[in-house]
PDB file of all heavy atoms in Angstrom:
ATOM      1  N   ASN A 175      11.781  -0.079  11.165  1.00  0.00           N
ATOM      2  CA  ASN A 175      10.965  -1.109  11.834  1.00  0.00           C
ATOM      3  C   ASN A 175      11.525  -1.468  13.211  1.00  0.00           C
ATOM      4  O   ASN A 175      12.710  -1.284  13.472  1.00  0.00           O
ATOM      5  CB  ASN A 175      10.951  -2.405  11.007  1.00  0.00           C
ATOM      6  CG  ASN A 175       9.953  -2.363   9.870  1.00  0.00           C
ATOM      7  OD1 ASN A 175      10.235  -1.801   8.821  1.00  0.00           O
ATOM      8  ND2 ASN A 175       8.792  -2.948  10.092  1.00  0.00           N
ATOM      9  N   HIS A 217       1.345  -9.425  10.936  1.00  0.00           N
ATOM     10  CA  HIS A 217       0.645  -9.336   9.646  1.00  0.00           C
ATOM     11  C   HIS A 217       1.605  -9.659   8.508  1.00  0.00           C
ATOM     12  O   HIS A 217       2.811  -9.794   8.715  1.00  0.00           O
ATOM     13  CB  HIS A 217      -0.049  -7.988   9.456  1.00  0.00           C
ATOM     14  CG  HIS A 217       0.863  -6.801   9.323  1.00  0.00           C
ATOM     15  ND1 HIS A 217       1.651  -6.326  10.354  1.00  0.00           N
ATOM     16  CD2 HIS A 217       1.114  -5.978   8.266  1.00  0.00           C
ATOM     17  CE1 HIS A 217       2.322  -5.271   9.938  1.00  0.00           C
ATOM     18  NE2 HIS A 217       2.033  -5.037   8.674  1.00  0.00           N
ATOM     19  N   HIS A 219       2.882  -8.231   5.792  1.00  0.00           N
ATOM     20  CA  HIS A 219       3.802  -7.363   5.044  1.00  0.00           C
ATOM     21  C   HIS A 219       5.256  -7.794   5.216  1.00  0.00           C
ATOM     22  O   HIS A 219       5.680  -8.190   6.305  1.00  0.00           O
ATOM     23  CB  HIS A 219       3.624  -5.899   5.470  1.00  0.00           C
ATOM     24  CG  HIS A 219       2.374  -5.284   4.909  1.00  0.00           C
ATOM     25  ND1 HIS A 219       1.782  -4.172   5.455  1.00  0.00           N
ATOM     26  CD2 HIS A 219       1.613  -5.639   3.840  1.00  0.00           C
ATOM     27  CE1 HIS A 219       0.701  -3.857   4.752  1.00  0.00           C
ATOM     28  NE2 HIS A 219       0.576  -4.734   3.769  1.00  0.00           N
ATOM     29  N   ASP A 221       7.980  -6.241   5.524  1.00  0.00           N
ATOM     30  CA  ASP A 221       8.801  -5.605   6.560  1.00  0.00           C
ATOM     31  C   ASP A 221       8.459  -6.110   7.966  1.00  0.00           C
ATOM     32  O   ASP A 221       8.989  -5.597   8.962  1.00  0.00           O
ATOM     33  CB  ASP A 221       8.686  -4.069   6.494  1.00  0.00           C
ATOM     34  CG  ASP A 221       7.296  -3.554   6.771  1.00  0.00           C
ATOM     35  OD1 ASP A 221       6.329  -4.101   6.205  1.00  0.00           O
ATOM     36  OD2 ASP A 221       7.163  -2.612   7.578  1.00  0.00           O
ATOM     37  N   HIS A 222       7.620  -7.139   8.068  1.00  0.00           N
ATOM     38  CA  HIS A 222       7.331  -7.774   9.361  1.00  0.00           C
ATOM     39  C   HIS A 222       7.663  -9.266   9.358  1.00  0.00           C
ATOM     40  O   HIS A 222       7.753  -9.871  10.415  1.00  0.00           O
ATOM     41  CB  HIS A 222       5.863  -7.534   9.755  1.00  0.00           C
ATOM     42  CG  HIS A 222       5.581  -6.073   9.949  1.00  0.00           C
ATOM     43  ND1 HIS A 222       5.495  -5.477  11.184  1.00  0.00           N
ATOM     44  CD2 HIS A 222       5.445  -5.069   9.041  1.00  0.00           C
ATOM     45  CE1 HIS A 222       5.304  -4.177  11.031  1.00  0.00           C
ATOM     46  NE2 HIS A 222       5.272  -3.904   9.736  1.00  0.00           N
ATOM     47  N   HIS A 275      -5.171  -1.929   8.796  1.00  0.00           N
ATOM     48  CA  HIS A 275      -3.952  -1.776   7.989  1.00  0.00           C
ATOM     49  C   HIS A 275      -3.924  -2.916   6.956  1.00  0.00           C
ATOM     50  O   HIS A 275      -3.756  -2.691   5.757  1.00  0.00           O
ATOM     51  CB  HIS A 275      -2.751  -1.828   8.923  1.00  0.00           C
ATOM     52  CG  HIS A 275      -1.412  -1.796   8.273  1.00  0.00           C
ATOM     53  ND1 HIS A 275      -0.910  -0.682   7.655  1.00  0.00           N
ATOM     54  CD2 HIS A 275      -0.451  -2.751   8.165  1.00  0.00           C
ATOM     55  CE1 HIS A 275       0.305  -0.957   7.181  1.00  0.00           C
ATOM     56  NE2 HIS A 275       0.604  -2.206   7.470  1.00  0.00           N
ATOM     57  N   ASP A 292       1.349  -2.466  13.238  1.00  0.00           N
ATOM     58  CA  ASP A 292       0.867  -1.355  12.414  1.00  0.00           C
ATOM     59  C   ASP A 292      -0.614  -1.054  12.649  1.00  0.00           C
ATOM     60  O   ASP A 292      -1.317  -0.586  11.751  1.00  0.00           O
ATOM     61  CB  ASP A 292       1.150  -1.644  10.934  1.00  0.00           C
ATOM     62  CG  ASP A 292       2.647  -1.741  10.658  1.00  0.00           C
ATOM     63  OD1 ASP A 292       3.451  -1.518  11.588  1.00  0.00           O
ATOM     64  OD2 ASP A 292       3.028  -2.046   9.509  1.00  0.00           O
ATOM     65  N   HIS A 330       6.853   0.439  14.051  1.00  0.00           N
ATOM     66  CA  HIS A 330       7.711   1.385  13.319  1.00  0.00           C
ATOM     67  C   HIS A 330       8.088   2.570  14.182  1.00  0.00           C
ATOM     68  O   HIS A 330       7.371   2.923  15.114  1.00  0.00           O
ATOM     69  CB  HIS A 330       6.978   1.930  12.084  1.00  0.00           C
ATOM     70  CG  HIS A 330       6.788   0.924  11.000  1.00  0.00           C
ATOM     71  ND1 HIS A 330       7.686   0.776   9.971  1.00  0.00           N
ATOM     72  CD2 HIS A 330       5.806   0.018  10.796  1.00  0.00           C
ATOM     73  CE1 HIS A 330       7.254  -0.181   9.156  1.00  0.00           C
ATOM     74  NE2 HIS A 330       6.116  -0.669   9.631  1.00  0.00           N
TER      75      HIS A 330
HETATM   76 FE1  LIG B  72       5.006  -2.199   8.666  1.00  0.00          FE
END
Side-chain angles (χ1 to χ4, degrees):
N175 279 81
H217 67 292
H219 285 159
D221 63 314
H222 297 258
H275 175 70
D292 297 356
H330 290 267

